[in-house]
Amino acid sequence: MLGCTTVLEECPAWAYTDAERAESSFFQVSTWTLPTDGARLGHVIARWALDHVARTGRAHVRRGAFHARLADYYCREQGWRLLREVERRGRTAYIMSRPAERQPDLPVLTQTVSTG
């Protein structure tokens, strides 16, 4: 395995407003990848999440990060929008959102499975 992410059907109440949580979205968390020489596996995983969520008919992908440099990278390089910073258990959480959208040139194809 080269990388992994988790996509949850609900966004945490501590991070998103009631109005944001009422919008159709999934919450992407806990992404990790093995170090590679320029493969940008995390970027591929993020694009997979955008595609997966769009295929399920939801409008947004939400995500958070606990490191300012990582949040900056997500926003600057991957097109995420920083919604706010929230203190969570003594750490700053950077709360982001991005519209779900199909990724027709995605190099990884998976079957969409609905649990609901």
Side-chain angles (χ1 to χ4, degrees):
M1 184 177 306
L2 298 174
C4 180
T5 197
T6 302
V7 180
L8 304 174
E9 293 186 5
E10 293 185 21
C11 295
W14 61 266
Y16 294 91
T17 66
D18 289 342
E20 289 165 344
R21 291 177 60 234
E23 296 174 335
S24 63
S25 64
F26 277 177
F27 184 61
Q28 181 183 3
V29 296
S30 303
T31 302
W32 65 266
T33 62
L34 290 177
T36 59
D37 291 331
R40 299 187 68 193
L41 296 176
H43 185 74
V44 173
I45 290 171
R47 289 186 60 221
W48 170 86
L50 294 170
D51 186 77
H52 172 75
V53 173
R55 287 175 188 265
T56 65
R58 304 243 178 151
H60 304 279
V61 180
R62 314 285 195 198
R63 82 177 308 164
F66 283 104
H67 300 282
R69 286 180 32 197
L70 186 56
D72 179 63
Y73 168 78
Y74 287 150
C75 293
R76 186 174 28 81
E77 298 291 329
Q78 294 186 5
W80 295 84
R81 182 171 58 96
L82 181 67
L83 299 176
R84 69 189 57 83
E85 297 177 16
V86 176
E87 289 300 314
R88 177 75 173 158
R89 297 182 179 157
R91 299 174 67 194
T92 301
Y94 301 90
I95 306 304
M96 296 164 275
S97 184
R98 186 166 171 191
E101 57 189 351
R102 298 289 301 267
Q103 304 288 308
D105 63 333
L106 188 65
V108 177
L109 297 176
T110 60
Q111 181 180 0
T112 299
V113 178
S114 175
T115 60

